[in-house]
Amino acid sequence: MAVNRQPVSHLNHKDVVALVKAAGNSVQFDILPAGKQQQQKQPQVGDPLDAAEASTRALVQAVHQQTQRAAEEQQKAAARLKELKATERRQRLFDEKCERLDEKIDASLLAWEQKEKDVEQLLQKALAVANYAEMKEYEKYMQKVELKAKDDLDRRQLKPRPAEAELGPELTASLRAKEYELELALLAEEISTVRCSELQKLERKATERKATENASQAEKEQKIMQAREQDLQQLKERQARMERILAEAEAEKAEEARRLREQKRLRGEEHQKKMEERAMLRARLAQEKRDEAQRREEEEARKRQTQEQEASWQRKEQQRLAELSARRKEEEAEERRRQGAAVLFGGGMLKRSAPPPTSASKDVHPMIAAMAAQREKEEADTRM
């Protein structure tokens, strides 16, 4: 193998690296034939073949990597140089276009200044012959013209326009700003031109009008007097109409106030009536509650009285039954004594007819029956 036509098989690694560095950016590698390599190789005692091959491969790899890095650096430098040249070309083109636009802007501004001087002169002439209404009409017309021109310019600016490929987006934006300045200057020049034209028309029209006015001054004065009298008559009619309208408005206002007072009075009476009805309802409910409470108290009193009467009757009944039981026991004892005496004295039993059983113990007490009937009647009344 040879580097820049110099065999490196007999060199060590450091010598080969130094040889490559000394070659600079241009390195040439050659593969020599085996016979020629043996002829050019100097004998080295004790130098094995494997070590030489490994050293050669390492050298080739190192040289190949350095070559790649050098090629990449050259490509980057070429790209930077190309970009720099393109930037210089775009800047030069941008400067040329800006210079042309500045020349047009200066020319337009110069023409605008001259037009403004002409406008000032024509305005003085027009003011000398035109009246207030004509000047007012002229100003309104020029305002409309300026507004329309500015709206058209704004609409044109709002339309999207692609960036110029030769300049790029940033320089294109700056160039658009310059173009906008030129359009503003041209717009001012056009408006000044329109002002000159309109002032000339206004001067001619006002001059003709003034000549006509001077020729028919008497007729004009008469027309003015007639118009004034008509205005006065219309003013009187308007005043009378306004007075009539004000009188009607006052009458309507008074009627509305009366109607509102009447509505307020009716609402007050209705409210008072509702309050009285509510008070009567509350009083009736309170009276009903009191009556109900009193009825319940009376019912409770009747119940207690009935209970007391029942308890009294039960006590009396128990006492009567006790007396009856005692009397029966006495009669039975007396009967047994008689029977015993009959057995002793006659051998026969004396029979005594027992009194027929009374149904007093089975029948209900009349007072209890009356109280039960009274209770059933009250319950019926309560259910109704």
Side-chain angles (χ1 to χ4, degrees):
M1 183 176 180
V3 177
N4 289 341
R5 301 182 183 277
Q6 184 176 352
V8 295
S9 300
H10 62 282
L11 300 177
N12 57 19
H13 181 67
K14 291 183 179 179
D15 295 335
V16 174
V17 172
L19 181 61
V20 172
K21 289 183 178 179
N25 293 330
S26 177
V27 180
Q28 181 179 356
F29 296 96
D30 297 321
I31 304 299
L32 300 178
K36 190 175 181 180
Q37 186 176 2
Q38 291 293 334
Q39 293 176 1
Q40 294 180 358
K41 181 179 179 181
Q42 295 180 0
Q44 295 181 1
V45 180
D47 192 13
L49 182 60
D50 294 339
E53 290 179 355
S55 176
T56 302
R57 283 194 298 271
L59 175 62
V60 170
Q61 291 178 358
V63 171
H64 180 64
Q65 292 176 0
Q66 186 173 4
T67 304
Q68 285 182 345
R69 288 194 295 269
E72 290 176 357
E73 291 294 333
Q74 287 179 356
Q75 290 178 358
K76 291 180 181 178
R80 287 195 296 270
L81 181 60
K82 184 179 179 180
E83 181 65 24
L84 181 61
K85 289 181 178 180
T87 303
E88 291 178 354
R89 185 175 63 256
R90 286 195 297 269
Q91 187 65 36
R92 184 169 58 256
L93 181 61
F94 173 74
D95 293 338
E96 291 175 357
K97 290 186 177 183
C98 286
E99 185 176 357
R100 288 195 295 271
L101 289 174
D102 289 335
E103 291 176 357
K104 292 180 180 179
I105 290 172
D106 294 338
S108 179
L109 291 176
L110 185 62
W112 173 74
E113 291 177 356
Q114 184 61 38
K115 291 287 184 182
E116 285 296 314
K117 292 179 181 178
D118 297 340
V119 166
E120 195 67 28
Q121 295 176 359
L122 292 171
L123 182 61
Q124 296 297 329
K125 294 180 180 179
L127 288 173
V129 293
N131 55 20
Y132 176 78
E134 291 170 342
M135 294 302 298
K136 192 71 175 179
E137 183 180 359
Y138 160 75
E139 291 294 335
K140 288 174 66 176
Y141 176 75
M142 289 309 302
Q143 287 178 0
K144 291 181 180 179
V145 170
E146 291 178 2
L147 288 175
K148 185 177 182 304
K150 289 180 180 179
D151 290 340
D152 294 340
L153 179 60
D154 293 338
R155 267 195 304 274
R156 289 197 302 272
Q157 290 297 320
L158 290 175
K159 290 182 180 179
R161 289 186 292 177
E164 295 186 9
E166 297 178 350
L167 298 179
E170 296 180 359
L171 295 178
T172 300
S174 301
L175 186 64
R176 293 285 185 267
K178 280 287 185 182
E179 292 175 352
Y180 183 67
E181 292 180 7
L182 177 60
E183 289 183 356
L184 288 177
L186 293 173
L187 179 62
E189 182 181 357
E190 291 177 1
I191 291 174
S192 298
T193 303
V194 174
R195 282 185 178 275
C196 290
S197 176
E198 291 299 322
L199 285 172
Q200 290 173 356
K201 292 179 183 178
L202 177 62
E203 182 184 1
R204 289 195 299 270
K205 182 179 178 181
T207 303
E208 293 174 359
R209 177 188 54 77
K210 197 168 184 180
T212 304
E213 290 176 355
N214 292 331
S216 58
Q217 186 67 27
E219 183 180 358
K220 182 180 178 181
E221 290 179 356
Q222 185 179 1
K223 290 181 179 180
I224 290 173
M225 292 299 295
Q226 292 177 357
R228 185 175 298 174
E229 290 177 357
Q230 291 178 359
D231 292 340
L232 291 174
Q233 185 65 27
Q234 291 177 359
L235 180 60
K236 290 179 181 179
E237 293 177 357
R238 191 179 295 112
Q239 287 178 350
R241 188 168 60 253
M242 288 300 296
E243 290 176 357
R244 186 174 63 258
I245 292 172
L246 289 174
E248 292 176 356
E250 289 293 334
E252 291 179 358
K253 185 176 180 181
E255 181 64 22
E256 181 67 18
R258 187 193 63 76
R259 187 178 59 82
L260 291 175
R261 287 195 301 270
E262 184 66 20
Q263 290 180 355
K264 185 176 181 181
R265 184 183 62 79
L266 293 175
R267 284 196 297 268
E269 291 178 356
E270 185 178 358
H271 179 69
Q272 182 67 23
K273 185 178 179 181
K274 288 181 179 180
M275 292 299 292
E276 291 176 356
E277 290 177 355
R278 290 178 183 174
M280 291 174 64
L281 180 60
R282 286 195 294 269
R284 187 171 64 253
L285 292 175
Q287 184 64 33
E288 289 178 357
K289 288 181 179 179
R290 288 194 298 271
D291 295 343
E292 181 68 18
Q294 185 177 0
R295 187 184 60 78
R296 289 179 180 177
E297 290 176 359
E298 292 176 354
E299 185 178 354
E300 292 292 332
R302 284 195 300 272
K303 286 182 180 180
R304 286 193 299 272
Q305 185 179 1
T306 304
Q307 291 175 357
E308 290 175 357
Q309 290 176 357
E310 288 179 356
S312 176
W313 176 81
Q314 288 177 359
R315 286 193 301 272
K316 290 180 180 179
E317 186 67 19
Q318 289 175 359
Q319 185 179 0
R320 188 182 64 80
L321 290 175
E323 291 176 355
L324 181 60
S325 178
R327 191 167 53 251
R328 283 181 180 179
K329 288 179 180 181
E330 290 177 357
E331 290 176 356
E332 289 176 358
E334 184 66 27
E335 184 66 26
R336 284 194 298 270
R337 284 193 299 271
R338 284 196 302 267
Q339 289 178 1
V343 170
L344 290 175
F345 295 103
M349 273 187 131
L350 296 176
K351 294 184 180 180
R352 183 183 177 186
S353 60
T358 61
S359 60
S361 60
K362 297 181 180 179
D363 296 336
V364 180
H365 194 275
M367 184 177 292
I368 294 174
M371 293 172 62
Q374 182 67 23
R375 189 182 302 113
E376 290 178 358
K377 184 178 180 181
E378 291 177 357
E379 291 177 356
D381 293 340
T382 303
R383 286 195 297 269
M384 291 177 63

